[in-house]
Amino acid sequence: RLRTLLHSHCEAQQKFRTEMDAKLRRQFRDYNFEADDTTLAAMADGHRSDQSGGRPGSSTSQLVALEAMDENTEELEKLARAAQDLRQAFIDVESLVNVQGEVITDIEEHLAHTANRTKEAEEELARAQVSQRRWCRYRWFMSFVLVAIILVIGIMVF
């Protein structure tokens, strides 16, 4: 039973190592497009031996490659932050446009209301003018009647 556990553990380690090698090769290939599989394998082996403490001076190209990948990663993170900031700016602009749209809608409503009120005021002024003419005619008529009554009384008294 111990033997099967050790065997399964060893298989899991080898599977993990294979997956990590594939991942490391993909990363090296992303950085160095012209590299062939043997160069990538040598770079991965050199990286693995550097991590385990072997061959201290043999991995300067791998270190340069890793540093370049780190720089690329940092640049990608900066781009991601810039894209997020740009997205937020567009959201802010959209909210400002919506607010301005509401303001414009309010202005349009106020203009329509003002036009209606102006039309009502014009109609009221026309009615007032007609009423004023009638009142003026009534006053003239009443003045004429009053003068006629005074004349009739004046003629009767004399």
Side-chain angles (χ1 to χ4, degrees):
R1 180 177 169 151
L2 180 62
R3 194 175 283 172
T4 57
L5 286 174
L6 285 174
H7 181 67
S8 64
H9 178 68
C10 184
E11 285 178 355
Q13 280 184 331
Q14 283 185 349
K15 181 181 175 186
F16 178 75
R17 179 175 287 153
T18 305
E19 290 173 358
M20 287 296 118
D21 283 344
K23 183 177 180 183
L24 188 60
R25 282 189 179 127
R26 274 194 315 271
Q27 289 176 347
F28 282 139
R29 184 171 283 126
D30 288 343
Y31 172 69
N32 192 358
F33 297 110
E34 293 105 21
D36 58 352
D37 287 338
T38 55
T39 307
L40 292 175
M43 289 174 73
D45 289 340
H47 181 71
R48 195 178 307 113
S49 66
D50 285 346
Q51 286 180 342
S52 63
R55 294 188 296 184
S58 66
S59 66
T60 55
S61 64
Q62 289 91 355
L63 287 175
V64 169
L66 288 175
E67 288 175 4
M69 286 191 323
D70 285 342
E71 289 175 8
N72 287 342
T73 303
E74 289 175 4
E75 289 177 14
L76 287 174
E77 288 174 354
K78 287 179 184 177
L79 284 174
R81 283 192 298 271
Q84 183 65 26
D85 292 343
L86 184 62
R87 181 179 175 273
Q88 186 61 43
F90 275 114
I91 289 172
D92 293 343
V93 167
E94 180 186 12
S95 67
L96 288 173
V97 167
N98 287 337
V99 167
Q100 287 178 350
E102 291 171 3
V103 168
I104 289 173
T105 302
D106 286 346
I107 291 172
E108 288 175 7
E109 289 174 1
H110 288 296
L111 286 174
H113 183 69
T114 302
N116 288 337
R117 295 283 305 238
T118 303
K119 186 176 179 181
E120 291 172 1
E122 288 175 354
E123 292 171 358
E124 184 69 26
L125 283 173
R127 284 192 299 265
Q129 195 173 24
V130 168
S131 176
Q132 185 178 14
R133 284 185 196 147
R134 286 183 185 159
W135 180 250
C136 186
R137 288 180 192 156
Y138 179 73
R139 281 190 310 190
W140 278 107
F141 178 73
M142 291 307 279
S143 298
F144 179 72
V145 168
L146 185 62
V147 168
I149 292 174
I150 292 175
L151 281 175
V152 169
I153 295 175
I155 293 178
M156 292 169 86
V157 173
F158 291 115

